[in-house]
Amino acid sequence: MTRAARLCIVTDIHHGKPSFSKAGPAALGLMGEFRRFVAEADPDIVLDLGDRISDEARESDLVLEREVADAFAPITHPRFHLDGNHDRDHLEVADNDAILGRTAGHETIDIGDWRIVVWRADARLHRPGGFALQDADLAWLAATIAAADRPLAIVSHVPVSGHSQVGNRWFENNARFSTYPTAERIRAVLRTAKGPVVWISGHVHWNTLTMVDGIAHLTLQSLTETFATAGEPAGAFALLELSEQVLWRVHGRDDFAWSARAEALSRRWLAPMPDFRELAGTKLHEAAE
């Protein structure tokens, strides 16, 4: 590998009125800090992982989304925006497209030796069931992974690792809303990846690292969440550097850092064992040990 890719990432801006532990009125001011961060980091691309607003109703949501779009506008680096569930409660993808000046859809961007995969899977929260994984979204991802000739950094709004939500203010008692109910189908596709993979999401409003099948799943803290930062907005945004080494650094009041060799992220693990109760005799004893 020769050239490092640099990405600046922000998620769950939640511009709007105060909402539980989301400090919505602080969002636009914190976006000013994010713009300064981008200017100093000088990344190849800027990623917004969605939930730009705290939704209220269609007309007010259109205003809020435009205000966030205006906050992004001074950034001259290439920008890629994903929609979160709050961007879709009262608005359509086409509404967000018009405001952001984009045409939504899955896409890939090659930077240096890495391929950035912008997976804009359906992020509308279908109540009361939760998110719905669309077959077309999964098929596109599977084809992209099968065709990959380089390491992949995949971004989405909704996490797919299935990691524990214990301790999470929003999702400990609402885990069904923290991921796709059939996320194991996504993980099965990921397991077929031949090279290094790192997956980055927002939505759950905290910093996490979960390793599944040798693949690193990271979630980024919200820009305005307060539950983990003593009542103050986290002001979180991240720099991801991709080369032979993967470097992840979250800035703000809830800072977090992690690194790994890219080579290590290409090693798939052995498949999980069956329920020990299905094993008999000495095999059960060996499994228990």
Side-chain angles (χ1 to χ4, degrees):
M1 296 185 183
T2 54
R3 181 188 164 214
R6 290 168 61 85
L7 294 72
C8 286
I9 306 174
V10 67
T11 191
D12 296 271
I13 296 164
H14 284 293
H15 172 45
K17 296 176 182 177
S19 178
F20 298 95
S21 56
K22 294 176 287 194
L28 296 184
L30 292 169
M31 280 297 296
E33 295 185 20
F34 179 64
R35 290 194 300 271
R36 287 189 287 275
F37 172 69
V38 170
E40 292 172 4
D42 191 23
D44 294 287
I45 64 173
V46 173
L47 287 165
D48 151 38
L49 302 186
D51 274 0
R52 288 173 289 278
I53 65 170
S54 290
D55 65 278
E56 301 171 16
R58 177 172 171 78
E59 292 308 315
S60 56
D61 286 4
L62 288 169
V63 172
L64 292 171
E65 290 278 4
R66 290 185 188 112
E67 289 173 345
V68 177
D70 289 344
F72 274 108
I75 295 174
T76 57
H77 298 76
R79 286 184 281 115
F80 298 85
H81 300 269
L82 290 77
D83 293 339
N85 48 291
H86 288 275
D87 307 311
R88 294 292 320 284
D89 268 342
H90 303 292
L91 302 177
E92 301 300 325
V93 171
D95 296 318
N96 286 278
D97 281 356
I99 291 168
L100 296 167
R102 58 150 209 217
T103 301
H106 310 304
E107 59 187 313
T108 62
I109 309 104
D110 288 349
I111 306 173
D113 293 311
W114 282 74
R115 177 163 296 151
I116 315 305
V117 179
V118 181
W119 194 53
R120 293 190 177 97
D122 181 21
R124 173 162 268 164
L125 199 56
H126 303 272
R127 295 175 177 85
F131 295 105
L133 177 61
Q134 305 298 320
D135 288 343
D137 292 333
L138 184 60
W140 184 91
L141 181 65
T144 300
I145 289 172
D149 59 356
R150 64 191 65 203
L152 301 174
I154 308 174
V155 297
S156 65
H157 178 68
V158 180
V160 303
S161 68
H163 67 287
S164 171
Q165 297 299 316
V166 173
N168 187 293
R169 171 174 169 78
W170 295 95
F171 297 108
E172 177 168 329
N173 298 312
N174 301 284
R176 69 187 184 282
F177 296 128
S178 69
T179 188
Y180 294 97
T182 53
E184 68 275 4
R185 296 175 64 199
I186 305 170
R187 295 193 294 272
V189 165
L190 283 175
R191 187 177 175 83
T192 67
K194 301 296 191 297
V197 180
V198 58
W199 188 299
I200 298 165
S201 305
H203 183 61
V204 289
H205 290 210
W206 61 355
N207 293 316
T208 67
L209 166 66
T210 306
M211 299 298 299
V212 182
D213 284 332
I215 294 166
H217 293 258
L218 293 152
T219 65
L220 173 58
Q221 174 64 283
S222 157
L223 187 69
T224 56
E225 182 57 68
T226 67
F227 86 79
T229 47
E232 296 293 324
F237 35 74
L239 178 66
L240 176 65
E241 296 184 88
L242 302 165
S243 59
E244 295 91 346
Q245 192 83 0
V246 176
L247 302 173
W248 173 253
R249 177 63 192 268
V250 180
H251 299 261
R253 291 188 175 93
D254 197 12
D255 58 330
F256 178 77
W258 168 80
S259 67
R261 289 181 299 109
E263 179 188 10
L265 301 177
S266 64
R267 301 173 190 156
R268 301 296 160 255
W269 297 347
L270 294 175
M273 294 186 68
D275 188 324
F276 291 162
R277 293 169 296 185
E278 297 176 6
L279 303 175
T282 57
K283 287 185 177 179
L284 177 61
H285 179 73
E286 292 168 1
E289 290 188 342

